[in-house]
Amino acid sequence: AWDGIWDVATRVDSLGWTAEFRIPFSQLRFAAAMDVTFGLAIARNLQRHTELITWPLYRMSKTGLSSQFGELTGLEDLASPKRAEVAPYLLTQNEPTGVAGTVGRRERVTLGGDLKYAVASNFTLNATVNPDFGQVEADPGQLNLSAFETFFPERRPFFVAGAGQFGFRINCFVVVDCNTGEGLFYSRRIGRSPLLAARYGDASSPTSTRILAAAKLTGRMPGGLSVGFLDALTDRVGGVAGQTMEPTTNYAVLRANQDYAGGQGSVGVMLTGVNRSLDQWTEHDMHRSAYSSGLDARRRFGRFEVSGSLMGSSVAGTPAAIAATQRNATHSYQRPDGNLVFDSTRTSLSGYSTELRFAKMSGTHLHFESGYARRSAGFEVNDIGFLQRADQQTWNTWAALQFNKPNQVFQRLNWNFNWWQFWTLDGLATDRAFNSNVHTQFNNRWWLHIGGTKRFGTTYCDRNCTRGGPALRIDPGFSPWGGIEGDTRQTVVPSFWVNYSRNDGGRSHFLNLNPQVMLKIAARFTTTFSANYSRNTDDSQWFGNPADSAGVTHYLFAALDQETLGVTWRLDYTFTPTMSFQWYANPFISKGSYRRVRELNNPRAANYDDRFQPYGDASVLANRPGFNVKQFRSNAVFRWEYRPGSALFLVWSQGRQDFAQQIGGKTFGGNFNDLFALPADNRFLVKMSYWFNR
């Protein structure tokens, strides 16, 4: 995500096609010397042949990318590059007041800026003051009925640039493909939506926490030591009556990594810290402090690699805040049939996580990886990281057959085999499955993807199903999927994906259809339409955990019938190399109805029906028969780089949303009509920055 200031020009003449790139030395960090050597690689993608030409030759059978670079020599007597870049910005934003019962708008003017300073030839300081990321694309609409938080990728430029310097993944095996986003550092915690907005805020309250200032120092020493340090301070966010929705908070991250043996090995460390200025409104819901640390190492031996990590965490706060942490879905200390002991008087919580892998990293056809991971119940990093669950041990194994040499049938073919098993630390099996998938590109450049997952054996759901209740036995299930993708060289590029799953002995079904078409109307004009439709029949959807007059908790389940439809439209138009327009629109509808409410009876019974029994209070279904969620999010961004490094943004974002406690009788078409009849939250933004280089 390097975002340097550079220029390029192209020309087609009698000799062919030529591209000339100009990269100022000010955008590169190097020490002044009589003779400077740069690593260099050049790649050209010939789309009409789906062919990649590189210098030097890039071999897919080898590991690493930069390790295969060539060298650019002959650069003599280069002076040190300019040390400082400053890009102040002026922003004006027109937004609704959001005061209930009134219609009005307000104008907000903001000043801020970014700084890049070469502290040394190989260390760069990036800083931002009062940043605004209003030009960044909105997150897609979603309805999360699980107990776990949804992961959204980072899009803000300040945090995206150099993000690899601060990476420390958790549960990142090839089998799970690292898609969970779990790690010690999740930059979207900084500037998040106020945690207590639902309690102390209303429609007029801020939807995000203002970042007062942030800075990061990154660099690499000549001996192979890479260092990254980030610190950010966020402002207090007040509610309608002065209550605090989000306190003033400081976030800090330190990452260091030392290479050795010519890059064949490395040892790294990471430290994170969060400190909050809590008050009477926030001290019972948030940690006063949260710290984590990690040590990781890897060593390659030819085509093989051994790697591992050890992590620790500690959080502190009031007894109420630590009790809430123990009870949330990540930890579930209160589970009545578990070995963990819930302690309402604790003022701190600590834990550890460790992982070990062995892999074959390179080779012509066969690659594989096997790894073990273990996390204690008290491991908690969600103040600055991302973790879905603790109290888990996993064993993952992956193998792949790769055929990258074209033949008479295909251009390439990859066949993957995956097996995994998850347990709690006391040995309760929570998942056991085998997966195989094949990915083939034929000679007509179409792709075919086919795969499936078979879950087998006796396993238990100890988190998402009962939300703090006893573990529920899960019947084996099967989840096949498939997809096709068209030839990307053509004007019209279609694709279609289908996912299906069958669970609860055939009582629960899930079907997802995802068609998409990309239109390359011209070299500078592309647009993409996609739809995402799902039909979910879940016979064992969690419904609630009410307590009766005697204080007895009843763990309720219902049969859920749910339909979801989301549509995404993207448009990209490039006027010139320095002027572009992007449009993103995402209407989203999800509607569902509940029936047949039951309560838990014998959660570990072998027979599915014996796990539940009728629930006597029929009013629970009458009070919450279903739901109808409508959302619309869109961004239109015009960007003009009127001089190198200086940009003008014109942005229009719109949001509409509604939530009803019943499914309603309308079709998707009727719901979409109702969605666009809802009041719109329109925001208009003009942002102008100017780049100085000294």
Side-chain angles (χ1 to χ4, degrees):
W2 176 69
D3 190 20
I5 309 301
W6 56 281
D7 198 6
V8 63
T10 62
R11 183 175 64 187
V12 178
D13 56 23
S14 60
L15 298 178
W17 179 81
T18 303
E20 181 177 338
F21 296 82
R22 181 172 59 189
I23 304 175
F25 284 117
S26 65
Q27 301 304 295
L28 306 174
R29 297 305 173 206
F30 59 92
M34 291 295 295
D35 188 5
V36 178
T37 299
F38 290 99
L40 179 68
I42 302 171
R44 183 186 179 191
N45 188 4
L46 295 181
Q47 183 71 0
R48 64 184 181 275
H49 299 306
T50 60
E51 179 178 286
L52 180 67
I53 299 175
T54 67
W55 179 91
L57 177 64
Y58 170 66
R59 298 184 183 276
M60 298 179 65
S61 59
K62 291 186 177 181
T63 57
L65 176 63
S66 59
S67 58
Q68 299 189 48
F69 278 23
E71 291 187 347
L72 175 63
T73 60
L75 302 176
E76 299 178 351
D77 296 329
L78 296 183
S80 296
K82 294 181 180 179
R83 301 177 67 88
E85 300 174 28
V86 180
Y89 80 82
L90 171 67
L91 178 145
T92 177
Q93 180 168 317
N94 184 274
E95 58 189 11
T97 59
V99 179
T102 65
V103 177
R105 303 191 66 83
R106 63 185 176 191
E107 197 75 21
R108 181 167 62 91
V109 178
T110 305
L111 291 172
D114 299 320
L115 166 70
K116 181 183 291 185
Y117 182 74
V119 178
S121 61
N122 45 11
F123 274 88
T124 302
L125 174 68
N126 292 80
T128 183
V129 177
N130 195 25
D132 185 278
F133 304 107
Q135 75 276 16
V136 175
E137 182 178 294
D139 293 319
Q142 56 90 25
L143 175 63
N144 186 355
L145 296 178
S146 76
F148 302 111
E149 179 185 4
T150 301
F151 175 82
F152 290 107
E154 180 63 86
R155 293 189 174 94
R156 297 171 296 178
F158 177 82
F159 296 102
V160 170
Q165 189 85 30
F166 298 93
F168 201 114
R169 295 293 187 92
I170 302 173
N171 196 30
C172 181
F173 296 89
V174 175
V175 171
V176 296
D177 200 26
C178 305
N179 286 331
T180 63
E182 292 181 304
L184 291 187
F185 179 49
Y186 179 39
S187 58
R188 292 198 57 158
R189 300 293 185 204
I190 303 172
R192 67 181 181 181
S193 298
L195 185 65
L196 302 180
R199 184 183 305 174
Y200 300 133
D202 65 4
S204 64
S205 301
T207 58
S208 62
T209 303
R210 187 164 68 104
I211 301 174
L212 296 175
K216 57 183 177 181
L217 178 68
T218 57
R220 181 177 174 89
M221 302 292 288
L225 175 64
S226 298
V227 178
F229 175 73
L230 184 147
D231 192 84
L233 180 66
T234 60
D235 199 6
R236 174 187 178 273
V237 182
V240 291
Q243 302 101 324
T244 303
M245 299 191 301
E246 187 75 27
T248 302
T249 306
N250 183 260
Y251 301 86
V253 183
L254 172 65
R255 180 71 158 118
N257 195 79
Q258 175 66 58
D259 287 347
Y260 67 91
Q264 296 300 305
S266 66
V267 177
V269 64
M270 189 166 194
L271 302 172
T272 72
V274 178
N275 291 279
R276 296 187 175 93
S277 299
L278 301 181
D279 53 26
Q280 58 182 316
W281 295 292
T282 56
E283 63 179 358
H284 300 308
D285 297 278
M286 302 182 192
H287 301 140
R288 186 173 301 278
S289 62
Y291 301 101
S292 69
S293 60
L295 176 69
D296 62 344
R298 64 172 183 86
R299 184 65 166 92
R300 289 182 182 169
F301 303 92
R303 296 182 176 183
F304 300 93
E305 181 177 279
V306 178
S307 61
S309 62
L310 178 63
M311 294 157 273
S313 69
S314 177
V315 297
T318 63
I322 300 302
T325 301
Q326 294 178 77
R327 288 193 299 262
N328 67 29
T330 302
H331 305 279
S332 290
Y333 271 74
Q334 76 278 26
R335 185 165 65 87
D337 60 341
N339 292 336
L340 303 177
V341 178
F342 172 75
D343 184 355
S344 61
T345 65
R346 297 185 67 157
T347 57
S348 64
L349 189 68
S350 60
Y352 71 89
S353 175
T354 184
E355 300 178 4
L356 181 65
R357 301 176 186 82
F358 174 70
K360 183 175 183 287
M361 302 294 294
S362 62
T364 304
H365 297 300
L366 176 64
H367 295 226
F368 64 79
E369 177 188 273
S370 187
Y372 174 78
R374 183 181 182 93
R375 296 196 289 275
S376 71
F379 186 62
E380 169 60 40
V381 296
N382 281 316
D383 290 85
I384 195 171
F386 188 85
L387 179 70
Q388 289 194 326
R389 65 161 295 159
D391 185 28
Q392 185 181 64
Q393 51 181 330
T394 70
W395 183 14
N396 307 275
T397 300
W398 162 82
L401 295 174
Q402 301 179 359
F403 303 93
N404 294 316
K405 185 176 181 180
N407 58 31
Q408 294 180 344
V409 178
F410 58 77
Q411 289 285 301
R412 67 189 71 176
L413 184 148
N414 296 336
W415 191 356
N416 297 298
F417 304 88
N418 307 292
W419 177 87
W420 63 87
Q421 185 162 344
F422 297 172
W423 311 264
T424 62
L425 262 61
D426 61 4
L428 181 70
T430 57
D431 198 7
R432 185 184 296 111
F434 174 79
N435 167 276
S436 184
N437 52 85
V438 180
H439 310 268
T440 308
Q441 186 184 39
F442 297 103
N443 287 328
N444 63 357
R445 297 336 190 247
W446 280 63
W447 279 94
L448 174 65
H449 310 270
I450 299 176
T453 299
K454 173 62 179 176
R455 286 180 163 82
F456 53 90
T458 301
T459 59
Y460 299 88
C461 176
D462 67 331
R463 291 290 198 276
N464 191 50
C465 293
T466 59
R467 315 288 170 98
L472 177 65
R473 180 167 176 159
I474 302 299
D475 290 340
F478 180 56
S479 304
W481 55 268
I484 57 173
E485 295 179 283
D487 183 355
T488 57
R489 301 171 300 175
Q490 304 302 317
T491 302
V492 180
V493 184
S495 68
F496 184 80
W497 294 84
V498 57
N499 291 269
Y500 176 78
S501 65
R502 181 180 183 273
N503 299 289
D504 294 332
R507 298 171 181 84
S508 297
H509 305 268
F510 176 80
L511 175 66
N512 176 259
L513 305 176
N514 179 209
Q516 176 178 292
V517 60
M518 174 187 290
L519 302 177
K520 300 179 181 179
I521 300 173
R524 63 178 64 191
F525 185 18
T526 62
T527 184
T528 303
F529 299 90
S530 65
N532 196 311
Y533 169 80
S534 64
R535 177 63 189 262
N536 180 31
T537 301
D538 189 345
D539 193 66
S540 55
Q541 171 64 45
W542 176 79
F543 193 74
N545 295 341
D548 58 24
S549 58
V552 177
T553 300
H554 298 264
Y555 302 99
L556 304 187
F557 293 81
L560 169 65
D561 295 310
Q562 179 187 10
E563 281 189 288
T564 301
L565 177 61
V567 178
T568 302
W569 176 30
R570 298 180 186 274
L571 184 150
D572 293 271
Y573 188 86
T574 302
F575 299 95
T576 70
T578 59
M579 186 182 298
S580 62
F581 175 78
Q582 290 86 36
W583 167 262
Y584 165 82
N586 175 229
F588 173 87
I589 305 290
S590 185
K591 53 183 182 177
S593 62
Y594 297 104
R595 54 184 171 83
R596 206 160 59 87
V597 176
R598 298 146 291 155
E599 67 173 314
L600 210 58
N601 176 38
N602 182 6
R604 301 200 182 195
N607 183 35
Y608 177 85
D609 292 327
D610 292 340
R611 300 168 199 165
F612 310 97
Q613 66 183 15
Y615 182 63
D617 188 358
S619 64
V620 297
L621 187 59
N623 294 333
R624 188 159 62 97
F627 56 83
N628 193 314
V629 177
K630 307 180 188 69
Q631 295 178 354
F632 176 72
R633 296 173 180 177
S634 69
N635 290 84
V637 181
F638 172 82
R639 180 182 184 274
W640 174 33
E641 188 173 356
Y642 57 91
R643 66 185 299 272
S646 304
L648 172 69
F649 291 93
L650 305 178
V651 181
W652 169 37
S653 64
Q654 184 181 111
R656 303 168 188 257
Q657 61 181 5
D658 182 55
F659 177 82
Q661 289 278 14
Q662 56 184 357
I663 187 172
K666 293 188 177 181
T667 63
F668 277 120
N671 275 282
F672 275 112
N673 289 334
D674 290 346
L675 171 61
F676 289 102
L678 293 171
D681 180 0
N682 286 297
R683 298 173 185 266
F684 302 92
L685 176 152
V686 179
K687 181 178 180 179
M688 184 175 183
S689 65
Y690 192 90
W691 180 66
F692 297 92
N693 185 22
R694 294 291 182 267

